[in-house]
Amino acid sequence: MSTNKTVSRPNAGLSANTTTAAPHTTGSRSPQGAGPARVKITSRPADRVFFGLSIGSAGLIIVILAAVALFLIIQAVPAITANWRTNANLSQGPTSGYADFWAYVGPLMWGTLWASAIALVIGAPIAIGIALFISHYAPRRVAGVLGYLIDLLAAVPSIVFGLWGIIVIRPLLLPLSAWLNHNLGWIPIFGGTASTTGSTILAGAVVLAVMILPIISSISREIFLQTPRLNEEAALALGATKWEMITLAVLPYARSGVVSATLLGLGRALGETMAIALIISPSIQVSWRILTEGENSQTIAANIALNFQVADGLQRQALIGTGLMLFVISLGVNMIARVIVVRTGPQATRKPKRKRVEPAASAATPASTAGVGRVDVSISDHHEGAQS
Amino acid sequence: MKFKNLAGASAIALTAVIALSSCAATTPTATPTPTAAAVVIDPTLKGIITAGGSSAQSNAQTAWTAAFVAQAAGVTINYDKSQGSGGGVTNWLAGSYDFAGSDSALSADNQTKSQANCGAGGALNLPTYLSGVAIVYNLPGVDLKLSSATLAKIFTLQITTWNDPAIAADNAGATLPATPITAVTRSDGSGTTANFTSYLSQVQPTIFTQTVGSKWPVAGTSGQQGGSGVVNTVKAGVGAIGYADHSSIGTLTAAAVQVGTSKDFVAYSPDGATNAFDIAAVAAPTTAGDLTKKIDYTKITDKASYAIPLLSYQILCTTFKDPAQAKLAKAYIGFIGSDIGQKVAAKNAGSAPIPASILADIQKSLALVK
């Protein structure tokens, strides 16, 4: 990025008019009226201030991220390197009974991924279904209201979800889990002694699934809306039904975007703390079971929330060490999301094509103008989303 | 408020806090049943007390703060209960708190560390909050009685149904269903767990062989966050049984627990907890003036006592860096450790009063603080 931008001539003329009143402008710019040649303009104070602010904001993100990582590493190292069996502090309290840091954090990492995976399996299909309904099935007015409601779901504090989970979801799931345990108990994940209080990882994952709905569905919705109108119309013209049109034109086009939306949802699920801490009866172990009281794998974030208050000294640092591992997992998920988007993303090849096509589409079918307009807006949205 | 008149009445001759402390110190020798003298709060005190720690104490701390500030309007007291006992001690050791509320006395290690801020005299652990660990259960129509052995077996998952012969033996005549038992425990680290596990391991060392501490050690129970989490879960699940600070159990019924090896089953009452503390507390001072008490649960055999008392401390330096803060902290903790302070907590937070002899000791110890 540079302060000296080359712009096309009309703009240069405009800026020349204004800069004549600003004598402090330095003179590396081409003389006025230099004909069709491209004109270089120098920045004025407002430009420089704005540039400084924006680069400052961008830099701040990196500084904050680095500061958080540094804090986690500095705090965690003493606990990671300590001998957990002989250390007077680590052999008591929340960290007692583990050979070393890895024996402690391993099951927690499993629990974090397991709970999030269940939440994704439940939540992602529903979120994508909602997005498809809003973008392709619902009447415009209904779509608007529904989209607004889904976004509102993102504003509910997680402690509220936690209480809702305890009071509503736990008892609601009891008959289902009893049935699953009784009839499908031979499948390992439904095995074990079924919970009588509903304090299971399943209940936690159901609430998590609701919490990640708004993220996945709102991003997916925008991507579905970007599907080139011509592709859809072509599919319909070839005799495809609405469902076939969606599978032929919409889903392949949106695939990478939906994958990255899902992984963003996964990122939310990985870090969720309060709802999990409130709902699940945890135990630090590697367990597949989702219907039991005492065999629910614990997540990193909930474990920190539950034990930080009584931990002191190295115990606290051990908990911060588990936080470092969560940081690493989240970073990994985001990187995988980017790799998937880059590898499978059709955008790079499709975008220019679509740009050439769109004016023709709007000219040919006036009825679809509004749709195209929407597409234009959401292209940039999507790219920001995909790159973040 | 009632205590205002009490305090005002005895305020005539005494104004200085130091004078008060020495007065309290002499009281026990003067009367056979020592009543800690009504502590007068100096209304001219000004400043900010910063403290935090135990969440079990939070209701009591709120009541104490309100009562204290009503007398000394120039004082602001910030007690941060979100820290929990461990966090309170950590912050206090770092020098950011004037005192810490903690469900366990300082470890030997932390007592040594405290000398960095407190000088050679180290720190004082003053027992100021007493309650009981209640055994709450959800079994409609049954007035549950539990022997210590049955209790230990239930919480170590050796007894899994309510119609187990051991439970039937404790509850002669009661109709017990075949419902499975769900043992509900704390998933977060907690002073209640520390008290309850040390009770189980002392009274039934052959049944409860797990580690004593703030983390519940038996895998396979239903772990819930906070005392309220345990209470809510027991409330919601028929066949559930859990433990919680008695002041937080709400409408649930608590089981009567066997005292010692006798045939007596005693339900919780504040007086029962006070009696138990009186009998079972063994002084284990770590430094001059320290009032650390080890509770020997095996000594609680009297049927006027509740079997599982729950104790919490205020921890402060013997020598403050700033004498003005020392004065403030002494005044506040002096009030907490007074007869009136204990009554305020009993009324507002449902705690049990600390025995008068200990209150007198607290005032003596506070006199050492500079």
Side-chain angles (χ1 to χ4, degrees):
Chain A
M1 208 182 286
S2 150
T3 44
N4 294 326
K5 281 203 166 175
T6 54
V7 292
S8 59
R9 205 173 165 240
N11 283 348
L14 186 72
S15 66
N17 285 342
T18 49
T19 48
T20 43
H24 52 267
T25 312
T26 48
S28 73
R29 137 177 100 82
S30 307
Q32 286 175 38
R38 293 195 157 204
V39 182
K40 272 196 162 183
I41 52 158
T42 27
S43 57
R44 281 156 291 148
D47 281 320
R48 285 198 294 273
V49 167
F50 185 72
F51 174 70
L53 282 177
S54 53
I55 202 169
S57 313
L60 195 62
I61 290 296
I62 295 168
V63 170
I64 290 172
L65 199 67
V68 169
L70 203 65
F71 157 78
L72 288 173
I73 292 168
I74 290 172
Q75 290 282 316
V77 162
I80 295 175
T81 53
N83 184 333
W84 283 42
R85 284 211 196 283
T86 54
N87 186 290
N89 196 327
L90 286 170
S91 56
Q92 322 170 3
T95 53
S96 64
Y98 298 93
D100 57 17
F101 177 74
W102 303 108
Y104 183 59
V105 80
L108 288 171
M109 289 169 79
W110 158 255
T112 306
L113 291 170
W114 181 227
S116 307
I118 304 171
L120 268 194
V121 166
I122 302 170
I126 298 175
I128 293 167
I130 294 171
L132 266 183
F133 176 76
I134 291 176
S135 62
H136 284 86
Y137 285 93
R140 178 155 300 185
R141 190 169 294 169
V142 176
V145 172
L146 198 62
Y148 176 73
L149 288 178
I150 292 286
D151 291 346
L152 208 62
L153 209 55
V156 177
S158 67
I159 187 93
V160 173
F161 275 116
L163 294 173
W164 177 66
I166 289 183
I167 296 163
V168 179
I169 295 298
R170 270 193 195 176
L172 199 70
L173 288 177
L174 271 181
L176 173 72
S177 50
W179 186 87
L180 284 175
N181 184 258
H182 189 254
N183 295 296
L184 298 171
W186 50 272
I187 304 174
I189 64 170
F190 299 130
T193 315
S195 164
T196 53
T197 63
S199 187
T200 61
I201 199 168
L202 178 68
V206 166
V207 173
L208 262 191
V210 177
M211 296 176 79
I212 61 175
L213 272 186
I215 295 178
I216 301 180
S217 84
S218 61
I219 298 175
S220 302
R221 184 181 69 203
E222 291 305 320
I223 292 161
F224 291 146
L225 286 173
Q226 282 177 47
T227 313
R229 192 80 191 172
L230 271 191
N231 293 11
E232 295 180 8
E233 284 171 2
L236 292 173
L238 288 169
T241 62
K242 186 132 190 178
W243 164 242
E244 285 164 343
M245 181 273 282
I246 286 171
T247 51
L248 281 171
V250 180
L251 291 182
Y253 173 78
R255 193 181 61 221
S256 71
V258 170
V259 167
S260 65
T262 309
L263 287 171
L264 276 179
L266 179 62
R268 171 87 164 90
L270 288 173
E272 178 45 38
T273 311
M274 278 325 290
I276 296 285
L278 284 171
I279 296 167
I280 299 179
S281 154
S283 113
I284 300 178
Q285 58 170 300
V286 177
S287 163
W288 289 92
R289 292 179 171 167
I290 63 170
L291 301 176
T292 64
E293 193 85 47
E295 292 176 86
N296 298 312
S297 300
Q298 171 69 310
T299 73
I300 291 176
N303 185 58
I304 295 176
L306 290 175
N307 290 305
F308 201 73
Q309 295 197 341
V310 289
D312 60 0
L314 270 179
Q315 298 169 4
R316 277 202 165 187
Q317 295 183 319
L319 290 176
I320 293 172
T322 64
L324 177 66
M325 292 301 123
L326 181 58
F327 189 76
V328 170
I329 293 175
S330 308
L331 219 62
V333 165
N334 273 319
M335 280 162 76
I336 292 170
R338 293 211 53 160
V339 168
I340 291 176
V341 169
V342 169
R343 285 254 176 91
T344 65
Q347 273 79 11
T349 51
R350 287 205 186 196
K351 206 172 86 182
K353 246 189 243 168
R354 198 172 63 224
K355 278 206 166 162
R356 258 180 273 130
V357 163
E358 270 160 14
S362 58
T365 53
S368 68
T369 324
V372 173
R374 259 193 301 178
V375 169
D376 281 342
V377 171
S378 46
I379 285 169
S380 56
D381 281 351
H382 170 50
H383 278 275
E384 279 157 21
Q387 282 165 11
S388 65
Chain B
M1 287 184 195
K2 197 169 62 179
F3 62 88
K4 229 174 180 176
N5 303 332
L6 274 168
S10 56
I12 305 159
L14 305 165
T15 45
V17 177
I18 295 158
L20 270 177
S21 307
S22 56
C23 164
T26 55
T27 312
T29 51
T31 50
T33 47
T35 48
V39 167
V40 184
I41 300 163
D42 178 0
T44 62
L45 281 174
K46 273 196 176 54
I48 299 169
I49 300 176
T50 313
S54 162
S55 54
Q57 288 188 20
S58 64
N59 289 342
Q61 286 283 358
T62 311
W64 287 325
T65 300
F68 187 85
V69 172
Q71 297 275 299
V75 181
T76 308
I77 299 160
N78 300 316
Y79 181 88
D80 183 0
K81 64 168 180 175
S82 71
Q83 293 297 318
S85 299
V89 169
T90 305
N91 289 349
W92 171 79
L93 280 174
S96 33
Y97 284 167
D98 295 320
F99 69 89
S102 173
D103 296 338
S104 49
L106 282 183
S107 61
D109 189 29
N110 281 339
Q111 177 64 275
T112 315
K113 274 188 203 162
S114 73
Q115 292 178 353
N117 275 328
C118 301
L124 300 178
N125 300 286
L126 305 178
T128 52
Y129 177 84
L130 182 63
S131 179
V133 179
I135 307 300
V136 289
Y137 64 96
N138 184 342
L139 205 61
V142 180
D143 253 348
L144 198 62
K145 291 181 214 147
L146 291 173
S147 66
S148 53
T150 313
L151 196 56
K153 281 181 185 160
I154 289 175
F155 278 96
T156 50
L157 309 180
Q158 296 173 38
I159 293 179
T160 52
T161 52
W162 281 107
N163 58 0
D164 191 278
I167 303 178
D170 290 343
N171 297 276
T175 336
L176 295 163
T179 325
I181 297 177
T182 304
V184 184
T185 58
R186 290 283 289 269
S187 61
D188 51 339
S190 148
T192 316
T193 305
N195 277 277
F196 188 52
T197 50
S198 62
Y199 159 77
L200 289 176
S201 83
Q202 281 184 29
V203 177
Q204 294 295 342
T206 52
I207 300 171
F208 189 89
T209 52
Q210 283 82 359
T211 332
V212 171
S214 58
K215 184 188 82 166
W216 180 256
V218 184
T221 60
S222 170
Q224 302 297 330
Q225 191 202 14
S228 57
V230 170
V231 169
N232 286 333
T233 304
V234 170
K235 221 180 255 178
V238 172
I241 181 166
Y243 61 88
D245 182 333
H246 194 274
S247 63
S248 66
I249 67 168
T251 55
L252 277 176
T253 37
V257 181
Q258 179 192 28
V259 279
T261 50
S262 69
K263 291 271 168 230
D264 296 317
F265 296 90
V266 180
Y268 173 85
S269 68
D271 288 343
T274 308
N275 267 340
F277 178 74
D278 231 353
I279 296 165
V282 182
T286 55
T287 182
D290 181 41
L291 295 178
T292 301
K293 302 286 177 192
K294 284 221 157 52
I295 295 186
D296 185 349
Y297 293 96
T298 55
K299 282 190 176 173
I300 306 173
T301 51
D302 168 16
K303 66 176 173 187
S305 306
Y306 181 66
I308 327 169
L310 170 74
L311 185 63
S312 191
Y313 295 89
Q314 315 297 340
I315 300 173
L316 76 168
C317 280
T318 45
T319 310
F320 277 61
K321 283 190 170 154
D322 180 357
Q325 286 308 112
K327 198 178 165 192
L328 282 172
K330 277 169 76 173
Y332 181 60
I333 296 176
F335 169 69
I336 292 175
S338 70
D339 193 36
I340 300 159
Q342 291 296 310
K343 278 183 181 148
V344 167
K347 187 161 179 274
N348 294 291
S351 68
I354 297 275
S357 59
I358 307 285
L359 293 183
D361 289 345
I362 290 174
Q363 302 296 345
K364 266 190 226 168
S365 294
L366 278 175
L368 301 171
V369 174
K370 342 185 234 303

